[in-house]
């Protein structure tokens, strides 16, 4: 015996698949963070600074050194307009101290040109170059343009610290004095000016690096020359995992 009644309709509600999933949290990586930081600062590339020392041949004219670097800079700017070079070139009687600021690609090409010049011209006037330090991703430039200054007369120093201090102490002295000199030039040279001139030995003799220190660093085997640096730069990174050197090879069950 059956009772009349209304058939009950069962409604099956489909639960969206998205609701069963965990809430998605946007994740980024360190590279994206750096790119966003550069975008906010309106930078098109990461900025780097390199400190170089080198010996120059006897009777080398200031104009020859300045013209060489200016030709290199102009050649690079034809392909990398935004990567302008700023810095400071200090020319001693037999050596140079060079600070360069630009993108990694521009600095790479400057070192590559120097290496090519040394290989193709045995009488190239810049020799024995060493890379003292490279500062990566610096927040801002120290210099508004590229300056050249000459030490016209020998500077007399009371003692030779290369004979009494360790290499670490000499490098510390070098970087400390170089940064002080760079800050002085950055503060005193106005935008658009040719540079600090050739009388730094009279204005700030206490900030000048001894040429003995530059020669000492050029001879130090602890620092890379452009060839060794570029070889390391071009070498692909490869990490050997522990599992690659274990025998027998591990197997998964």
């Amino acid at each position: 015996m059956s009772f009349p009644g209304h058939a009950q309709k069962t409604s099956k509600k489909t639960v969206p698949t998205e609701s069963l999933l965990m809430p998605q949290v946007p994740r980024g990586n360190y590279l994206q963070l750096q790119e966003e930081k550069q975008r906010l600062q309106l930078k098109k590339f990461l900025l780097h600074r390199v400190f170089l020392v080198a010996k120059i041949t006897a009777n080398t004219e200031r104009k020859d050194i300045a013209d060489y670097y200016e030709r290199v800079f102009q050649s690079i700017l034809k392909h990398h307009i935004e990567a302008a070079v700023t810095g400071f070139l200090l020319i001693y009687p037999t050596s140079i101290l060079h600070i360069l600021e630009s993108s990694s690609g521009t600095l790479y090409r400057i070192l590559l040109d120097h290496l090519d010049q040394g290989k193709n011209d045995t009488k190239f006037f810049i020799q024995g170059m060493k890379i003292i330090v490279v500062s990566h991703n610096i927040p801002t430039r120290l210099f508004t343009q590229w300056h050249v200054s000459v030490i016209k007369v020998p500077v007399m120093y009371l003692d030779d610290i290369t004979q009494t201090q360790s290499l670490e102490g000499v490098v510390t002295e070098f970087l400390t004095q170089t940064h002080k000199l760079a800050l002085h030039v950055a503060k005193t040279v106005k935008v658009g000016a040719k540079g600090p001139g050739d009388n730094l030995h009279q204005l700030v003799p206490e900030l000048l690096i001894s040429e003995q220190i530059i020669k000492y660093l050029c001879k130090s085997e602890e620092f890379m020359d452009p060839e060794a640096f570029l070889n390391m730069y071009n070498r692909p990174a490869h990490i050997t995992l522990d599992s690659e050197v274990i025998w027998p090879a591990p197997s998964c069950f």
Side-chain angles (χ1 to χ4, degrees):
M1 184 174 181
S2 60
F3 297 93
H6 297 286
Q8 294 182 354
K9 296 181 180 180
T10 58
S11 61
K12 296 182 180 180
K13 297 182 179 180
T14 58
V15 181
T17 308
E18 291 78 8
S19 63
L20 299 177
L21 300 176
M22 294 294 292
Q24 297 296 317
V25 179
R27 296 179 181 274
N29 54 39
Y30 185 71
L31 176 60
Q32 293 172 342
L33 178 63
Q34 291 296 322
E35 291 177 343
E36 179 66 14
K37 185 185 298 184
Q38 298 300 317
R39 187 187 66 79
L40 294 176
Q41 295 176 357
L42 300 179
K43 292 182 179 180
K44 296 183 179 180
F45 55 88
L46 296 180
L47 191 62
H48 309 281
R49 183 183 297 124
V50 61
F51 292 79
L52 306 170
V53 294
K55 296 178 291 183
I56 56 177
T57 57
N59 302 321
T60 301
E61 297 292 336
R62 170 194 187 275
K63 186 176 183 299
D64 295 336
I65 303 176
D67 288 348
Y68 161 70
Y69 279 110
E70 287 178 355
R71 286 196 303 269
V72 175
F73 298 161
Q74 291 298 325
S75 176
I76 295 174
L77 283 175
K78 291 180 181 179
H79 307 283
H80 303 273
I81 300 177
E82 76 282 356
V85 179
T86 58
F88 188 39
L89 173 62
L90 193 61
I91 303 177
Y92 288 80
T94 60
S95 60
I96 61 173
L97 164 60
H98 205 178
I99 307 173
L100 291 169
E101 301 171 333
S102 190
S103 65
S104 59
T106 298
L107 297 178
Y108 173 87
R109 287 171 175 80
I110 293 173
L111 294 177
L112 184 61
D113 188 271
H114 170 82
L115 184 60
D116 292 339
Q117 289 289 338
K119 289 182 177 180
N120 299 328
D121 185 3
T122 56
K123 297 182 179 179
F124 186 48
F125 44 79
I126 301 176
Q127 301 176 351
M129 177 176 287
K130 291 295 179 65
I131 301 170
I132 305 304
V133 66
V134 180
S135 301
H136 297 286
N137 194 16
I138 57 178
T140 184
R141 297 176 185 261
L142 276 177
F143 306 95
T144 57
Q145 60 192 66
W146 185 70
H147 305 291
V148 182
S149 186
V150 178
I151 304 299
K152 291 185 177 181
V153 296
V155 181
M156 301 302 297
Y157 296 91
L158 297 178
D159 57 354
D160 183 6
I161 66 171
T162 62
Q163 301 296 327
T164 58
Q165 294 187 14
S166 63
L167 177 61
E168 182 180 356
V170 174
V171 174
T172 301
E173 176 73 13
F174 170 82
L175 293 177
T176 301
Q177 290 297 101
T178 302
H179 274 91
K180 289 181 180 179
L181 180 62
L183 290 174
H184 170 78
V185 173
K187 292 179 180 179
T188 56
V189 178
K190 297 181 180 179
V191 178
K194 292 184 178 181
D198 296 336
N199 59 344
L200 284 175
H201 57 280
Q202 297 175 347
L203 298 176
V204 285
E206 71 281 0
L207 298 182
L208 292 179
I209 299 295
S210 167
E211 191 173 20
Q212 296 168 336
I213 295 179
I214 297 178
K215 292 181 177 180
Y216 174 79
L217 296 176
C218 288
K219 295 179 181 178
S220 299
E221 297 181 355
E222 286 79 1
F223 301 105
M224 288 186 178
D225 57 19
E227 183 175 9
F229 181 84
L230 293 177
N231 288 337
M232 182 187 69
Y233 185 90
N234 293 324
R235 187 182 304 130
H238 177 73
I239 301 176
T240 303
L241 302 177
D242 291 341
S243 59
E244 297 178 12
V245 295
I246 295 177
W247 185 261
S251 58
C252 300
F253 297 95

